[in-house]
Structure formats: structure tokens, C-alpha cells
Amino acid sequence: MIDTKSPADRTTTGATGMRDLEIVPVRNYGRWIAAVVSLLALVGLIGSLAKNDNLHWDVVGDYLFADLIFDGLTTTLWLTAAAMLLGLGLGTLIAVMRLSASPVLYGLANAFVWVFRGTPLLVQIIFWGYAAALYKYVKIGIPFTEVTFLQAETNTLLTPAIAALLALGLNEAAYASEIVRAGIQSVDPGQAEAAHSLGMRPALTMRRIVLPQAMRVIIPPMGNETINMLKMTALVSVISAHDLMSNIQDVYAQNYQVIPMLIVASLWYLALVTLLSVPQAWLERRYGRGTTRAGHVSPFRRLLGGTVERLGKKNKEHNR
């Protein structure tokens, strides 16, 4: 039998046939088994906690929206915001100092990062909380002379809240400086050279040219640092800074309901972290455009997308 079709016709027919074929994905039964086992374990854990009378869910309900809890939340939120602003501002300055050609500025910046990143945050909080044991008065004047312009008691200036802010902000500055330095170094040096060739000074070049481009690298990890800062504020309870965890400890020190009060704290921290995760995820997508792996979609979105696609195919077949 002689084939009378031209090569073009055969190519078209083959392509049409390929388009008509239904692509069936590989069945990953192990993945489904693992998902079912995980869901069963989760349901069992939730059921066990819900039926556990030792958790005293009535106590959790009584204190979940108590005024004392909201007072602690207010302190926790302003500590988080103020510490991040202090850490980001000081961290940017330290990052620029570390990139400076001056050996003095470079050495001071390195020493700052070495000290505050190398010692535990809890130790720093306790140090600032009990700084009056080291210096009874805070003086501003000419060093190595008796000339004093301003003098105040350390305990008056360094209240527990201010001590907590200093500890959190300075510790965050050490980490933020490394993030900012990485962002600055990610910018092509030719950008700064081009700005200098136009007569721009180094400070103006850094502010107008380098830092705006470095934000692509700086913003996403700083979102993670903000979430981490919110949780680290719980450590300031050791100096009674009247944050959420401090007030929780005051309550269970009186009613001895430790676990129920810790559940109250955990629920509020989870709620706040969830709220912060929304803008953090948006910022990561916004500033990560062009750098993330192409076509990367989360499993949950793939599941939703596949469900929508299947529903669309069924509607088309029904309309036919």
C-alpha cells in the first residue's frame, strides 16, 4: 500500500494525535500513605488534647481576653516595632562601617558584631536590666575630667522596658548589619562607579543608588527577623518588663495554672506570628521576582490548581 500523504500532512497528523493524548501523572502511593498517617496522628493528638482535663480549658478561656493579657500584648508589640527600627537603623550604619576603607571604622564595626552576636541574648537582657550594679549614675561630660553636663541615676533611666529595648535593639543591629552588608555587596560595583563618574558623593551614591537596589536582598530576611523578634520579646520576662510573657508568669505564680497560662501565651504568639507572616510572604514574592526558581508552586497551590483544572474540564465536557 502506497502512502499518498505528504510529509507535512504526516507531521500535522502526528502532532494532532499527540495533542489528543491524555497525560496521566505517576501515582505516588507512598506520598498518599504518608499523608493519611500524618493526618491520623494529627487528629489523634488534637483529640487527646481536647479531652485532657488537666489542661483546664475553662482557665484558658477566662484569661485569653483578659485585660492583663492585652496590656502585655501592647508592650510586646511596641517592643517588637521599636527594637526592629533601632536594629535596622543601627545595623545599616554598622554595615556601611564594615565596608568602609577606614581601618578604625571597620574595626569598631567588627567589634560590635563580635560582641553582640557572640553573647546570648538572655545574658544581654539581664546585663542591661542590672546595669545599675555596674554604674550607679549615667554621666555625660568630658572624659577623664570632672566636667559633667548631665547626670542621672541609672535605675531611673534604665527602666525594665528601656533595658529590654536596648538589649533587643542592639542584638538585632548585629544581625541586621550582616543582612544589610550582604544586600549592599549583591549590587554590581559598576553601579557605584557609574554614580561616582557622574559626580555623586559616596554617601549620596549609597543612599540613592546602592541601597534601593540592595532592598531586594535585604527585605525578605528582615521579615523573618521581625517574626523572630516578636518571639524573642518573651525573654524580657526575666527582668519583668511587663510584656505578654511577664504578665503570664505573674498570673500562674498566683493560681499555679502553669500549662493553661502557657497555652494562652502560645495562642497569642501564634496569632501575631500568623498576622506578620502575611506581609512577610508578600514582601518575599515582591522583592524575589526574577530570582526565585521558575515554575515553583507550593503543594497546596498545586492541589487547588489541579482541582480547578479538573472542574473546568468537566464543565467543558458537560457543555458539549
Side-chain angles (χ1 to χ4, degrees):
M1 184 175 181
I2 300 174
D3 187 3
T4 58
K5 293 182 178 179
S6 64
D9 294 337
R10 286 195 297 270
T11 303
T12 304
T13 304
T16 305
M18 290 297 292
R19 283 195 297 268
D20 293 339
L21 292 178
E22 181 180 359
I23 300 175
V24 180
V26 178
R27 303 296 181 185
N28 297 302
Y29 296 104
R31 186 185 301 169
W32 284 102
I33 293 173
V36 171
V37 171
S38 301
L39 288 176
L40 289 176
L42 178 61
V43 171
L45 177 62
I46 294 175
S48 175
L49 292 175
K51 296 179 180 179
N52 194 332
D53 296 333
N54 295 325
L55 290 179
H56 300 286
W57 290 105
D58 56 332
V59 177
V60 175
D62 291 339
Y63 284 96
L64 189 60
F65 300 103
D67 294 336
L68 187 67
I69 303 302
F70 283 113
D71 292 340
L73 283 174
T74 302
T75 303
T76 294
L77 290 175
W78 83 255
L79 267 180
T80 301
M84 285 305 301
L85 289 175
L86 175 61
L88 183 57
L90 185 58
T92 303
L93 177 62
I94 294 170
V96 174
M97 290 172 62
R98 292 197 70 183
L99 297 173
S100 173
S102 170
V104 175
L105 296 180
Y106 175 80
L108 290 175
N110 270 341
F112 180 92
V113 174
W114 174 65
V115 170
F116 287 96
R117 198 176 61 172
T119 54
L121 176 59
L122 184 59
V123 173
Q124 297 175 32
I125 292 174
I126 297 174
F127 174 84
W128 287 106
Y130 294 92
L134 183 62
Y135 292 103
K136 187 176 181 179
Y137 296 98
V138 176
K139 300 179 180 180
I140 299 177
I142 301 176
F144 308 111
T145 65
E146 297 297 331
V147 179
T148 302
F149 303 120
L150 181 64
Q151 176 178 317
E153 289 188 1
T154 304
N155 282 330
T156 304
L157 292 178
L158 285 182
T159 61
I162 299 301
L165 174 60
L166 285 175
L168 294 172
L170 294 177
N171 181 266
E172 178 59 33
Y175 288 92
S177 67
E178 293 298 285
I179 296 175
V180 174
R181 183 171 66 91
I184 292 174
Q185 291 181 328
S186 69
V187 179
D188 189 350
Q191 298 287 324
E193 294 175 359
H196 294 160
S197 66
L198 295 175
M200 297 181 68
R201 295 181 179 276
L204 183 61
T205 301
M206 179 65 66
R207 188 173 65 253
R208 293 288 184 87
I209 305 298
V210 178
L211 283 179
Q213 297 183 67
M215 296 303 288
R216 175 181 57 83
V217 177
I218 295 172
I219 288 294
M222 288 307 299
N224 290 327
E225 286 294 310
T226 304
I227 292 175
N228 195 36
M229 176 63 70
L230 174 67
K231 295 181 293 183
M232 288 193 300
T233 56
L235 295 177
V236 305
S237 60
V238 297
I239 57 174
S240 300
H242 300 294
D243 67 308
L244 175 60
M245 196 62 198
S246 299
N247 292 353
I248 289 290
Q249 289 178 341
D250 291 340
V251 173
Y252 70 62
Q254 298 177 10
N255 62 10
Y256 303 105
Q257 299 293 335
V258 179
I259 298 300
M261 295 310 300
L262 290 179
I263 291 177
V264 172
S266 300
L267 291 176
W268 275 112
Y269 281 118
L270 283 172
L272 294 176
V273 168
T274 302
L275 290 177
L276 287 178
S277 298
V278 175
Q280 191 251 351
W282 180 83
L283 287 173
E284 285 190 355
R285 290 194 301 269
R286 174 67 177 81
Y287 286 93
R289 292 183 302 181
T291 59
T292 55
R293 182 162 54 91
H296 176 68
V297 183
S298 65
F300 183 69
R301 288 191 173 186
R302 287 201 301 268
L303 177 62
L304 290 180
T307 304
V308 172
E309 184 178 356
R310 286 192 295 270
L311 290 175
K313 288 183 178 180
K314 289 183 180 180
N315 290 333
K316 288 182 179 179
E317 293 176 357
H318 180 72
N319 293 332
R320 290 178 182 177

